[in-house]
Amino acid sequence: MLNIKEIKSRINSVRDTEKITGAMQLIATAKLQKAKRELSKTRPYFHAIQGEIKRIFRVNGKINSRYFYPPTGEHELPGAYAYLVVTADKGLAGAYNLKVIKTAEEKLRSHGENELFVVGEYGRHYFHSHNIPVSESFLYTAQNPTFQRAREICDLMLEGYNSGKYAKIFVIYTDFVNGMRSDVRCERLLPFHRGDFMDHAPEKEITEPFEFSPSMEEVLENIVPSYVAGYIYSALIDSFCSEQNARMTAMKAACDNAEKLLSELTAQYNHVRQSEITRELTEISAGSAARKDE
C-alpha cells in the first residue's frame, strides 16, 4: 500500500497531466472552429465547378476526355493505382490515424501495383516502419492545409496520370460529418464517371445554346485539374477538422479520467492519513498508560 508521500506525489503528477490535456483540448477546439470556417468556404467553389462540368455534359453527353470513363460506363483499367493518404503530423487523437492507415492497407492489398503518396508525419513513419514504400511525402501539410499546397499535390499526381503512369488516382481521408461523427473515405479522383456530375439538383431548361471557347474539350481539360485540386484541398481541410475533433474528444476523455483518478487518490490519501492519525493516537495512549503503570 502506498504511503502518504507517494500518494501526494501521484496526485500532483495527475494534476499536472490534467493541466496539459486541458490546454490541448482548448487548442484543439480553437483549431477546429477555424478549420470549420475554412471548410465552409470551399463548398461554393465545388458547387460552381460541378455546375460548369454538368453544363458541358448537358450540351454534349458524349464528349470524350482522358479524365472521364467512356460513355459505355465504368470498368477496370490496367496499370498502377495512386493513393493519396491523409494522416496527421502527430498522435494523441484517438483512433483517427489508425482508421485511415487500416483503410489504406486494405486498398493496397486489393490491387497489385500501387503508388503511395502520404500527407502527415504519422503516416510517413508508419509506412516506413512497416517497410511499405512511399513515393512522395508531403511534410507539414496536415497541420496547415492551403490551396497552394493542394495544387502542388494535384500537379504531381496529374503528371503521373497524364503520362499514363497511373490508371486511377484515389484519395483516402477522414470526412468530417459533424461533431459526433467522422468517416474514413476512399474516393476515386480520376477517372471520373459521368454520372458523378449528373446527380445534382435539376437546372432550368436550356433555351439558348452555350458557346465554349476555344472548344468544349479545351474548357473541360482546364476545369478538371482545378476541380481535382479543389477536391484535394477539401479532403485536407476535412481531415484536419476530423483530427482536431478526435483530439478534442480524446483530451476531454483524458481530463475526465484524471478527475476520476484524483477522486480515488484523494479518498485513498484521506484513508491512509486517517489510519496514520489513529495509529499515532493509539501509540500516545499506550505510552501514557505505560507511564501510569510505572
Side-chain angles (χ1 to χ4, degrees):
M1 187 174 180
L2 298 177
N3 57 39
I4 291 180
K5 184 177 180 181
E6 292 172 335
I7 295 175
K8 288 184 68 176
S9 177
R10 289 195 63 183
I11 289 175
N12 292 333
S13 177
V14 172
R15 282 176 177 167
D16 291 340
T17 303
E18 185 183 19
K19 291 178 181 178
I20 296 173
T21 56
M24 292 182 67
Q25 180 184 355
L26 293 176
I27 293 172
T29 303
K31 288 184 176 180
L32 175 61
Q33 297 301 322
K34 180 181 178 181
K36 286 171 68 176
R37 290 192 295 268
E38 293 295 326
L39 181 62
S40 64
K41 295 177 183 178
T42 65
R43 304 300 186 189
Y45 178 82
F46 272 116
H47 294 160
I49 295 185
Q50 284 176 345
E52 293 305 315
I53 298 176
K54 178 180 178 181
R55 183 175 291 116
I56 291 175
F57 282 110
R58 289 183 67 196
V59 175
N60 184 2
K62 296 182 179 180
I63 185 174
N64 291 321
S65 172
R66 65 178 181 272
Y67 296 125
F68 287 82
Y69 282 108
T72 54
E74 181 177 346
H75 59 277
E76 289 300 320
L77 299 174
Y81 290 179
Y83 291 93
L84 174 64
V85 182
V86 184
T87 65
D89 285 332
K90 55 186 177 181
L92 298 176
Y96 166 78
N97 289 300
L98 294 179
K99 288 181 179 179
V100 176
I101 290 174
K102 180 180 178 181
T103 302
E105 288 180 324
E106 292 174 353
K107 295 299 180 181
L108 291 174
R109 287 192 296 266
S110 65
H111 189 74
E113 191 177 357
N114 304 296
E115 292 278 349
L116 189 60
F117 298 83
V118 179
V119 172
E121 281 291 300
Y122 191 99
R124 186 177 69 86
H125 284 297
Y126 178 88
F127 290 118
H128 178 73
S129 62
H130 287 74
N131 297 319
I132 300 176
V134 176
S135 299
E136 186 72 31
S137 295
F138 304 101
L139 304 179
Y140 310 115
T141 309
Q143 286 298 312
N144 186 23
T146 63
F147 191 79
Q148 179 60 34
R149 290 178 174 177
R151 188 175 291 278
E152 292 173 0
I153 297 172
C154 173
D155 291 342
L156 181 62
M157 302 189 77
L158 279 181
E159 182 180 353
Y161 181 83
N162 293 332
S163 66
K165 184 178 180 181
Y166 310 134
K168 294 183 181 181
I169 297 178
F170 295 87
V171 57
I172 301 175
Y173 69 103
T174 308
D175 181 29
F176 182 74
V177 181
N178 52 52
M180 302 296 294
R181 178 185 168 191
S182 296
D183 299 331
V184 177
R185 299 180 62 180
C186 179
E187 295 292 333
R188 185 186 69 246
L189 282 179
L190 292 173
F192 293 116
H193 193 282
R194 296 163 192 265
D196 297 340
F197 298 92
M198 303 303 292
D199 297 331
H200 306 293
E203 297 179 353
K204 295 181 179 180
E205 183 180 355
I206 299 176
T207 58
E208 295 292 336
F210 288 99
E211 294 184 3
F212 297 90
S213 179
S215 67
M216 194 178 300
E217 289 78 7
E218 288 291 333
V219 172
L220 192 60
E221 289 287 315
N222 283 275
I223 287 180
V224 170
S226 296
Y227 179 81
V228 173
Y231 197 105
I232 292 175
Y233 177 60
S234 179
L236 294 176
I237 295 290
D238 255 320
S239 296
F240 186 69
C241 285
S242 301
E243 176 195 348
Q244 299 308 321
N245 186 64
R247 181 167 291 111
M248 184 177 65
T249 303
M251 292 303 102
K252 183 179 184 304
C255 289
D256 293 341
N257 290 335
E259 285 293 332
K260 182 180 179 181
L261 185 57
L262 282 174
S263 178
E264 294 174 354
L265 287 173
T266 301
Q268 185 180 358
Y269 173 81
N270 292 334
H271 177 74
V272 173
R273 182 169 175 271
Q274 187 63 42
S275 298
E276 288 288 332
I277 294 173
T278 303
R279 182 182 61 79
E280 291 176 0
L281 290 175
T282 302
E283 290 176 354
I284 293 173
S285 298
S288 177
R291 291 191 64 181
K292 287 182 180 180
D293 291 341
E294 293 177 357

